[in-house]
Each structure stands twice: as structure tokens, then as C-alpha cells.
Amino acid sequence: MKTTPLTATFGVEVHDVELAELDTQSFAAVRDAFETHSALLFRNQTIDDAAHMRLARMFGPIEDRDTETLEVGEDFKVSRVSNVCEDGSVTAEMDLHTLNLKANMLWHADSTFLPIPALVNILIGRVVTQTGGATELASTRAGWADMPDSLKDRIRDRAAWHRLSHSRARISPELAALPMFHKWPDQLWNAVWRNPVNGAEALYIASHAFAIEGMEADEGTKLIDDLIAWVTQDQYVYSHQWQVGDVLIWDQRAVLHRGRAWNYKEPRVLSSICVSATATDGVDAMRPIV
């Protein structure tokens, strides 16, 4: 499998793989690259929703926020990250739907607010903009490895509380008040995720994190902000400008991501499937003993 680096610190572009044609044997090489590099880019892919779901299931159980995880054979509609309405129009910049897209412009890992967090997001470019609209990834593995001990020691062996409405409130109180952002109880996750395949550690945090267990509120909030600021420095970030047919896959245990703004009069459509982490991926070790 031929690859070239996306950055000096993480991620590779894979050149000779057709994702829609993967079998169990060829997927093993993709999974190995995923564990090693944390982010994978495949260009010029022809992959419909059925193939998208088939690829996702190779990683594990598909996440469905109505039922937590999706069993094989259940109905599932691939999520669209889009400002396009069903009638083909686009949402206004201050529409609540667009504000929710803007909340995705905060650095986050998907589903840290769920009882089962995400292992991977598989994101596909369907309709792209001429300018803007990049997706940025930040390696919390590389950032953690370089982090000074004075900062590491403040968070190692601690856990953070996560809540979906917390990130939405940073964009709009009206948005955060919607019932869809209050479906799950607050989740407590250890702040460092150790990859069970290679032993590499990564900071596990997100814009959904609102408190550090055992810390005063202001101290915990400041620490969360300091940690995110460290791991999202330029040397740990890859910025992806979309082309139709791009497939971007990243490890939610070791990568933060965010969207970037575009001219909201332009349509933009990405299709997304998240896969839930399992015991094999180390999720059980992320549950603090309280």
C-alpha cells in the first residue's frame, strides 16, 4: 500500500486503494495504517452510501444516535453534514441548522457525550465549495507526546465530563436549549486514551468537555482550554480542502477535528458515518473507577 505523509507529525494519503472494493484481507492493511498514522486520506473514490456503510462496518458497529449502535440489517440513513435543504435551497447563516454546523467549528472528537464514544469518522466529499469549508484535524497523540510535563501532570490520571449542549452553548444559547442536545446524561471519560494495538497515548478531550473531575470549575475550564490550545498548534494540524470523491478517515481516540467557514450561499455536502468504539479499541479502559 503506497502512502505519502499528510504532515510531519501524523496522517497519510493512501494512493492505491479503492475503498468500495476492499475485502477482509485488504482492509487489514488499511486498519494497520489507521492505528499507526491516526488519519487516512483517499482521493478520487467512487463510493455510494451502501459501500460507505460496508466500509464502516469493517471498523466496527455503526453509530446511530437514535439507538446508540446499529445492528446489521437495521435501517440506517447516512448522515449529511450539509447546509442544503430537502428542496435544494441552502440554510441562512443564522438559521439554527447553520449554527449547529458552526458548533462543529469548535475542536472536538465525535460522540464523547455518548455512553459509547466514536472510534472513527468516515467523511466523504459529495458537493464542495470553491473556497473555504476545510476540515481540520489535530493530532492529540503527537501533541501529547510533545506536551511539557508541567501540563501533562495536571491532567494525567484525571477524567473529564462531557455534554453535547455545552459545545452548542458556546455558539448560541437558543441552539443549546433544543431537546436534541439533551438526550444523554453527562459522560465521564479518562483524559488519556492508550491505543491497545501499539501502546501510543493520546489526550482525549473535546469542546464537549465542560469540567475536570475533582477540580474547581474555573480551574477545570482553564485546563481544558490550555490542553486544547496545546494540541491544536500548527505543527499538529492538517487542513483538508475538499474535492469531490475525497474520503477522510480519522481515529477519534487520537484526533480532534473542526470544520471551517465558507460562503453559506454555496451548497456543501459531506456524508459521514461514525463507528462506535469497542472493548478491542480500548473503550473499557476509558471508564474511570469512581
Side-chain angles (χ1 to χ4, degrees):
M1 193 168 71
K2 182 180 177 182
T3 64
T4 54
L6 293 178
T7 75
T9 53
F10 80 110
V12 293
E13 180 177 347
V14 181
H15 297 282
D16 53 356
V17 171
E18 291 294 331
L19 292 172
E21 299 175 3
L22 284 183
D23 56 22
T24 302
Q25 183 176 358
S26 54
F27 174 73
V30 171
R31 181 64 192 244
D32 285 347
F34 169 82
E35 299 288 356
T36 301
H37 300 290
S38 301
L40 308 176
L41 170 63
F42 304 79
R43 292 195 184 273
N44 300 313
Q45 298 289 309
T46 301
I47 182 168
D48 60 16
D49 283 354
H52 194 175
M53 288 188 284
R54 178 174 171 272
L55 173 62
R57 287 193 171 101
M58 291 183 177
F59 281 94
I62 290 177
E63 176 187 289
D64 184 340
R65 292 185 182 177
D66 292 327
T67 62
E68 305 287 326
T69 58
L70 189 76
E71 298 297 329
V72 174
E74 287 186 55
D75 290 336
F76 178 70
K77 185 175 182 180
V78 175
S79 175
R80 295 292 191 263
V81 183
S82 173
N83 64 331
V84 180
C85 303
E86 289 187 7
D87 63 2
S89 64
V90 295
T91 56
E93 183 166 355
M94 297 310 292
D95 182 275
L96 286 177
H97 177 80
T98 308
L99 290 176
N100 191 35
L101 291 177
K102 289 185 176 183
N104 290 332
M105 296 176 192
L106 302 171
W107 286 111
H108 65 289
D110 291 317
S111 312
T112 66
F113 49 84
L114 291 180
I116 304 175
L119 166 69
V120 61
N121 191 338
I122 304 172
L123 197 60
I124 302 177
R126 303 296 189 186
V127 178
V128 304
T129 57
Q130 294 297 312
T131 60
T135 295
E136 293 188 335
L137 310 180
S139 174
T140 63
R141 179 188 293 181
W144 177 257
D146 291 347
M147 189 178 292
D149 289 340
S150 58
L151 185 53
K152 270 187 177 179
D153 291 345
R154 296 176 61 199
I155 192 62
R156 187 185 287 278
D157 300 324
R158 289 187 177 273
W161 286 98
H162 297 252
R163 178 192 301 152
L164 179 54
S165 62
H166 174 74
S167 59
R168 273 51 192 167
R170 298 178 65 177
I171 301 299
S172 162
E174 182 184 6
L175 179 70
L178 294 176
M180 63 185 291
F181 300 123
H182 297 269
K183 293 171 62 177
W184 304 279
D186 297 344
Q187 302 296 322
L188 183 65
W189 299 111
N190 287 330
V192 177
W193 197 313
R194 182 181 181 275
N195 185 303
V197 173
N198 54 36
E201 291 184 334
L203 179 70
Y204 191 65
I205 204 148
S207 61
H208 313 305
F210 66 89
I212 303 296
E213 179 73 2
M215 279 191 179
E216 295 294 330
D218 289 348
E219 181 185 9
T221 298
K222 176 66 163 55
L223 178 56
I224 290 167
D225 290 344
D226 288 348
L227 290 166
I228 292 177
W230 177 271
V231 299
T232 58
Q233 295 178 88
D234 288 348
Q235 63 266 38
Y236 309 127
V237 173
Y238 168 68
S239 183
H240 183 67
Q241 191 63 52
W242 287 96
Q243 300 175 22
V244 173
D246 286 352
V247 179
L248 194 58
I249 299 173
W250 66 89
D251 187 345
Q252 305 270 13
R253 304 168 298 177
V255 173
L256 295 179
H257 67 284
R258 67 177 179 179
R260 305 303 287 155
W262 72 93
N263 180 349
Y264 296 107
K265 294 180 181 179
E266 289 188 58
R268 177 178 180 266
V269 181
L270 307 177
S271 61
S272 171
I273 298 179
C274 285
V275 171
S276 299
T278 66
T280 303
D281 306 313
V283 70
D284 292 345
M286 290 298 293
R287 305 182 193 278
I289 300 173
V290 295

